[in-house]
Amino acid sequence: MENRIRSRRKELKLSQEELAKRCGVSRQTVNAIENDKYDPTLSLAFRLAGELHLTVDELFLPPRSGEEARGRG
């Protein structure tokens, strides 16, 4: 699932480590989500959105056509 985490995190001048600490996850988890390698749980998505001062809808973009059929959605 595409997201705006990296760009928003940089706008707020947060490191991956700082965002991870605030959300209670590892830096590697934040990195994996930013790189579209891992879809966060709903509760983590809300924590990320809250820390980045966005709504979940603003932070995460809907899948592009065909992604769900390929098992990415």
Side-chain angles (χ1 to χ4, degrees):
M1 176 181 306
E2 287 186 62
N3 64 72
R4 297 182 49 214
I5 295 171
R6 178 179 286 120
S7 62
R8 183 62 176 161
R9 176 177 60 76
K10 289 183 176 188
E11 286 173 12
L12 297 173
K13 298 182 179 6
L14 290 172
S15 67
Q16 286 183 342
E17 186 69 36
E18 181 62 28
L19 180 58
K21 187 182 292 187
R22 291 181 181 194
C23 292
V25 297
S26 70
R27 184 201 58 78
Q28 291 84 352
T29 297
V30 171
N31 182 270
I33 296 168
E34 284 186 355
N35 289 298
D36 200 23
K37 305 281 188 208
Y38 174 74
D39 288 337
T41 63
L42 188 56
S43 62
L44 178 53
F46 275 99
R47 287 196 308 264
L48 288 164
E51 290 297 333
L52 296 172
H53 310 290
L54 295 173
T55 65
V56 171
D57 287 350
E58 292 169 326
L59 191 58
F60 293 93
L61 308 173
R64 286 178 275 173
S65 178
E67 281 190 8
E68 290 183 27
R70 292 192 304 267
R72 299 222 35 215

